[in-house]
């Protein structure tokens, strides 16, 4: 796993806020679950299906980010007239739900049966980081109102199982999973942005420091900022940059797991005392 190099694409979508469940909820859920009532009837001018449109949209977003995701561009990628896309999907809001749910459904899921809960939870983190490596646009989508399709539900079911036998109540299990996924998503976004910065500036961190370092040494008084000077220099020398996303992800994941372990052990101790 190399979270510092998740994709060849740039996250232009960071400037275009996007969220799931922004369309008509009833129509979206019907489409997500492929309810026949929500699907267009096939005919001579409807040679495609919803899945083909979703695949075209995912391919487009993978290449151009969410900023390049328009219904016209999706139609062009699918090879159909622009207005025909609307016979399959009402609009971009519903399409985004379908895209993310499809990405969830296709995630690789590591077999973890028989492993300790901590290793199962680590696998969940790695699976989500892999999702963002494959589809950087997914990290830019707010899922506070999740899409609630079959892909989302399968993902949620799988991830909750990582906490089986940890001795936590249902609400705490959901809290723990949410905490883990929030941290992974934040690390993924940093990784994506770092990759984009290198591409957009055609300059690596070492080159940037080579230009900025001498100026900083000239203007910065270490006596005025002793901790920043000492610790910043040590960290920069250790990681080769002011912020190294792969290291930050590994450190954050270990700390999350350590914290969850203390929680699990504390609950176990309370149960034993009772």
């Amino acid at each position: 796993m190399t979270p510092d190099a998740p994709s060849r694409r740039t996250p232009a979508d960071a400037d275009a806020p996007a969220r799931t469940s922004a369309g008509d909820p009833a129509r979206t859920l019907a489409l997500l679950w492929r309810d026949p009532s929500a699907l267009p009837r096939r005919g001579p001018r409807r040679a495609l299906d919803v899945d083909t449109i979703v695949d075209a949209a995912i391919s487009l977003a993978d290449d151009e980010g969410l900023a390049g995701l328009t219904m016209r561009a999706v139609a062009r990628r699918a090879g159909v007239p622009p207005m025909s896309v609307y016979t399959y999907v009402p609009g971009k809001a519903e399409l985004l739900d379908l895209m993310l749910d499809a990405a969830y459904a296709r995630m690789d899921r590591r077999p973890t049966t028989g492993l300790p809960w901590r290793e199962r939870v680590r696998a969940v983190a790695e699976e989500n980081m892999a999702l963002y490596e494959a589809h950087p646009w997914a990290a830019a989508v707010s899922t506070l109102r999740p899409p609630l399709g079959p892909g989302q539900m399968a993902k949620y079911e799988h991830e909750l199982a990582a906490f089986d036998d940890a001795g936590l109540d249902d609400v705490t299990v959901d809290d723990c999973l949410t905490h883990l996924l929030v941290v992974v998503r934040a690390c993924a976004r940093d990784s994506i942005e770092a990759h984009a910065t290198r591409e957009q500036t055609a300059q690596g961190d070492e080159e940037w420091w080579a230009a900025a370092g001498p100026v900083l040494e000239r203007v910065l008084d270490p006596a005025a900022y002793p901790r920043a000077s000492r610790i910043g220099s040590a960290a920069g020398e250790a990681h080769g940059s002011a912020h190294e996303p792969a290291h930050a992800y590994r450190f954050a994941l270990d700390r999350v797991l350590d914290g969850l372990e203390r929680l699990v052990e504390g609950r176990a101790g309370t149960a034993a005392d009772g």
Side-chain angles (χ1 to χ4, degrees):
M1 191 67 57
T2 54
D4 58 327
S7 169
R8 64 184 181 278
R9 281 81 66 184
T10 60
D13 40 304
D15 296 326
R19 59 183 177 88
T20 53
S21 298
D24 177 77
R27 180 68 186 272
T28 301
L29 279 172
L31 278 170
L32 283 167
W33 290 92
R34 302 302 191 267
D35 186 322
S37 67
L39 301 177
R41 295 182 179 180
R42 297 184 66 85
R45 301 189 64 181
R46 293 192 177 103
L48 305 181
D49 55 24
V50 172
D51 291 329
T52 303
I53 299 300
V54 172
D55 288 344
I58 290 174
S59 173
L60 180 65
D62 286 348
D63 289 341
E64 301 184 20
L66 292 182
L69 184 70
T70 66
M71 299 299 275
R72 180 176 294 274
V74 170
R76 187 164 53 247
R77 181 68 61 107
V80 296
M83 293 307 296
S84 68
V85 174
Y86 293 97
T87 66
Y88 299 94
V89 182
K92 185 174 174 180
E94 293 83 2
L95 179 59
L96 188 59
D97 281 27
L98 291 165
M99 292 165 59
L100 196 58
D101 198 68
Y104 287 163
R106 298 167 187 172
M107 288 175 66
D108 289 332
R109 296 186 172 98
R110 174 187 167 194
T112 57
T113 302
L115 293 179
W117 71 263
R118 180 167 173 142
E119 288 306 306
R120 298 198 302 266
V121 173
R122 183 182 292 276
V124 167
E126 299 292 357
E127 290 159 4
N128 278 272
M129 184 60 77
L131 168 72
Y132 297 132
E133 289 179 353
H135 307 295
W137 54 268
V141 179
S142 170
T143 56
L144 294 177
R145 292 182 177 177
L148 299 179
Q152 165 73 48
M153 299 312 294
K155 179 179 186 290
Y156 188 45
E157 179 74 18
H158 166 74
E159 292 171 350
L160 290 173
F163 294 90
D164 283 355
D165 305 321
L168 304 173
D169 63 83
D170 288 350
V171 173
T172 302
V173 167
D174 183 77
D175 288 342
C176 290
L177 177 59
T178 299
H179 176 53
L180 174 75
L181 297 184
V182 165
V183 170
V184 172
R185 182 169 178 264
C187 289
R189 288 181 66 106
D190 277 355
S191 182
I192 293 165
E193 289 169 6
H195 183 74
T197 298
R198 288 193 294 270
E199 284 198 339
Q200 292 166 358
T201 63
Q203 186 181 56
D205 286 346
E206 291 184 359
E207 295 171 298
W208 183 82
W209 274 111
V215 178
L216 185 63
E217 289 181 3
R218 188 169 67 249
V219 300
L220 180 66
D221 179 7
Y225 308 98
R227 298 173 189 81
S229 298
R230 185 185 77 252
I231 296 175
S233 295
E237 184 175 345
H239 306 312
S241 66
H243 178 72
E244 206 285 300
H247 168 78
Y249 167 65
R250 292 190 299 269
F251 183 88
L253 178 56
D254 285 342
R255 300 297 74 75
V256 169
L257 293 172
D258 288 345
L260 294 180
E261 186 165 13
R262 292 192 65 179
L263 176 64
V264 169
E265 290 174 348
R267 295 296 175 88
T270 300
D273 293 340

